[in-house]
Amino acid sequence: MKNLLTLLLMLSSLAELRAQTVTYDYHTRAYSPQINFVRHGAMVSYRIININPFAQKVIINGQAISMTSEIPAQLATLFNVKIDTEKELTNTKDQVKEMADVQKNTAQAGLKAALNTLVDSCSTYYEEAEKIEEALLLKEHLAKTMADKSFYNDSVMRSALNDRSINTTTISDLKADYEEFEEAYHQVYNQYQAAIQAARTAGDKDKEARIMNAFDQVKKDYRLLEKQYQETLFDIKDLYAKATDPRSYEVISLPLKLTGRAGDADEVEFEILIDDKKFPTPDAFNVDSGLKVDFSAGPVFNFTADNRYFFDATNKLQQQTKPGLFNVVTPTVSAMMHVYPRRYKGVAWGGTFGVNANVKELTDINLGFLAGISAIMGRSQKVIVSTGASYLRVDRLKEGQFTVGTVYNDTKIEDVTESVLRPSWFVAVSLSLGKRKILTP
């Protein structure tokens, strides 16, 4: 089991080595670090750092990778909650007045004492309940600060929040206020129970009914206030954690796998949309490594002579002599295939195989072939210099049968020569024009 775990960890490490992330700093408008190419066979992702996705919508690669700010929805919810909270707080305040009115018109000592205590507890509870307004206000300030795109990383955001007195201390204070609110409600709950019991003991059914009605409304409002209070504190804690998390200020695309069909890519482009507007990015990244196949056509200079033969007027077999350079060079045209490793810059070296066409007459094309090495320069429009061995068809006398200078009557030139492949050294310069094609991963 231990060996299997070790093997899995090694395979995981190898997989990570095949992953590559292009990192762009949105604040400095530069790559970090500067990158010139991406690796063939890797899983390439594009990452933007030092950007505030709470305030900006970011889409990378033209795919549905959306990091939409949650702020607008949160603010809409926030304002709705605030309206409901004011209603519950108003109801709570009304119950304080109701109990004060009941207490004012009570003559019996025991019931009056119970109501006095209840009124005090209700007032304390109302004061604690009002503190939810502070939490809502803090949440609103927190949300608005997060929606400011000028705060582009956790350090800048933390400083901005601290300037607005939003930090872990204030959040802890809000939590303490909530606990005091809970404690105040428990006190009110107990005092209502005591007041109801005192009204029963005094036989005052009217006051008992009024106290019970007020108690029912307090319990109902408390459940709503408690829910809103808890949700507000949770939102504040969650938003603050996101606002101060370094990972919140980066957006990363889904990985683009440079394998399979996409493994034939020479370039990788990233399209970035920020707030539905195209963000200008540098030129495409070149792909480095991995084998590539290209085709080209161009002139080939073969360092061998095509020794042509003919019969003169006396039927004597003669050999055509080419002056100067043409004694050793035969020009041809070749279509070539080049296999080479990609290079993001400089010269790539690879192998070449081609088919030679030695044009004698417009109707007479003898084909040969060549193989060697090539130097490939350029990316989209490539200039390729090749050299190696060329096998070209040339005319040669049929060995042991015919001799130059001998008279052969009633004999055609085709009878004394034959087309044979002969090796030679060649140099070729060709051009490869690439067609831009978008590959689907």
Side-chain angles (χ1 to χ4, degrees):
M1 184 66 182
K2 183 178 180 181
N3 293 335
L4 178 60
L5 181 59
T6 302
L7 178 60
L8 291 175
L9 290 174
M10 290 177 63
L11 292 175
S12 176
S13 300
L14 289 174
E16 290 179 0
L17 290 175
R18 300 305 297 167
Q20 186 174 10
T21 301
V22 177
T23 302
Y24 181 77
D25 190 322
Y26 183 75
H27 178 62
T28 62
R29 299 295 197 268
Y31 284 92
S32 176
Q34 185 62 39
I35 187 169
N36 297 310
F37 66 93
V38 294
R39 292 187 299 272
H40 175 270
M43 297 176 62
V44 181
S45 299
Y46 194 97
R47 180 177 62 168
I48 303 178
I49 62 173
N50 287 333
I51 188 171
N52 187 343
F54 303 111
Q56 295 168 286
K57 176 183 176 182
V58 182
I59 298 177
I60 305 176
N61 268 355
Q63 300 185 32
I65 309 169
S66 179
M67 297 295 291
T68 305
S69 168
E70 300 176 352
I71 300 304
Q74 289 172 333
L75 290 178
T77 303
L78 174 65
F79 293 134
N80 288 336
V81 169
K82 186 173 182 179
I83 293 172
D84 294 340
T85 300
E86 288 177 347
K87 178 181 177 181
E88 269 71 56
L89 289 175
T90 300
N91 290 339
T92 301
K93 188 174 183 180
D94 289 343
Q95 302 316 313
V96 176
K97 293 180 179 178
E98 172 72 10
M99 289 302 99
D101 182 61
V102 172
Q103 181 262 353
K104 182 178 180 181
N105 296 297
T106 298
Q108 189 172 343
L111 179 57
K112 189 176 184 65
L115 289 174
N116 283 337
T117 305
L118 176 58
V119 169
D120 292 339
S121 298
C122 286
S123 297
T124 301
Y125 169 64
Y126 175 71
E127 291 174 1
E128 296 300 331
E130 274 192 317
K131 292 182 180 179
I132 191 175
E133 295 280 5
E134 298 177 11
L136 289 169
L137 185 61
L138 183 72
K139 177 181 174 181
E140 180 180 352
H141 289 167
L142 174 55
K144 288 183 176 179
T145 304
M146 291 175 67
D148 189 335
K149 62 183 179 182
S150 64
F151 306 136
Y152 55 86
N153 63 30
D154 61 300
S155 177
V156 175
M157 180 64 75
R158 192 186 299 271
S159 177
L161 292 174
N162 196 57
D163 290 342
R164 292 160 175 76
S165 298
I166 304 174
N167 48 48
T168 54
T169 300
T170 54
I171 294 174
S172 297
D173 291 344
L174 289 177
K175 184 179 179 181
D177 290 341
Y178 172 75
E179 292 173 352
E180 291 176 359
F181 161 76
E182 287 284 298
E183 178 62 27
Y185 172 73
H186 290 309
Q187 292 294 332
V188 164
Y189 183 91
N190 293 332
Q191 292 305 319
Y192 263 109
Q193 296 280 20
I196 291 171
Q197 184 60 45
R200 287 175 182 170
T201 302
D204 195 332
K205 294 184 178 181
D206 177 64
K207 288 185 174 57
E208 180 183 355
R210 292 177 64 183
I211 295 171
M212 290 184 66
N213 288 336
F215 187 31
D216 289 340
Q217 185 62 49
V218 167
K219 288 188 291 184
K220 178 181 177 181
D221 294 336
Y222 164 75
R223 285 191 291 269
L224 294 175
L225 284 172
E226 181 187 42
K227 180 175 182 295
Q228 293 161 1
Y229 216 145
Q230 288 177 338
E231 289 177 350
T232 301
L233 292 181
F234 176 82
D235 288 344
I236 290 173
K237 185 177 179 180
D238 181 60
L239 288 174
Y240 186 80
K242 291 178 179 177
T244 55
D245 187 346
R247 295 170 297 180
S248 296
Y249 300 90
E250 62 179 47
V251 180
I252 189 166
S253 71
L254 289 174
L256 176 64
K257 299 180 181 179
L258 297 181
T259 56
R261 185 179 178 188
D264 196 38
D266 295 305
E267 297 179 341
V268 173
E269 288 184 338
F270 292 95
E271 182 184 64
I272 302 171
L273 296 177
I274 297 180
D275 292 333
D276 296 324
K277 294 181 180 179
K278 190 171 182 179
F279 183 75
T281 55
D283 296 334
F285 294 99
N286 296 329
V287 178
D288 188 67
S289 73
L291 290 179
K292 179 171 177 60
V293 177
D294 264 327
F295 299 90
S296 68
V300 179
F301 301 95
N302 303 274
F303 288 81
T304 185
D306 185 1
N307 300 321
R308 299 183 181 183
Y309 300 89
F310 64 95
F311 288 108
D312 63 12
T314 63
N315 292 326
K316 182 185 291 186
L317 182 60
Q318 301 286 355
Q319 179 179 345
Q320 181 180 354
T321 302
K322 298 180 180 180
L325 184 63
F326 289 100
N327 282 325
V328 292
V329 176
T330 299
T332 60
V333 176
S334 179
M336 290 170 279
M337 179 179 71
H338 311 275
V339 181
Y340 59 95
R342 292 178 182 83
R343 291 289 180 266
Y344 79 94
K345 67 177 181 178
V347 178
W349 295 90
T352 295
F353 176 82
V355 177
N356 261 329
N358 183 5
V359 182
K360 291 182 177 181
E361 303 291 345
L362 292 177
T363 59
D364 184 8
I365 300 178
N366 292 323
L367 297 180
F369 64 92
L370 55 84
I373 61 173
S374 297
I376 299 95
M377 294 163 282
R379 294 190 62 82
S380 178
Q381 299 180 356
K382 303 176 182 67
V383 175
I384 303 173
V385 178
S386 306
T387 186
S390 172
Y391 284 80
L392 190 67
R393 288 192 174 275
V394 296
D395 289 336
R396 292 291 185 267
L397 288 178
K398 292 182 179 179
E399 295 183 5
Q401 299 182 41
F402 301 94
T403 305
V404 174
T406 303
V407 175
Y408 298 97
N409 295 316
D410 300 324
T411 304
K412 296 179 181 180
I413 193 66
E414 291 83 1
D415 297 332
V416 300
T417 63
E418 60 183 348
S419 180
V420 296
L421 286 174
R422 287 290 184 266
S424 67
W425 173 52
F426 80 90
V427 174
V429 179
S430 56
L431 182 64
S432 176
L433 300 177
K435 183 179 180 181
R436 191 172 181 82
K437 182 179 180 182
I438 298 176
L439 300 176
T440 302

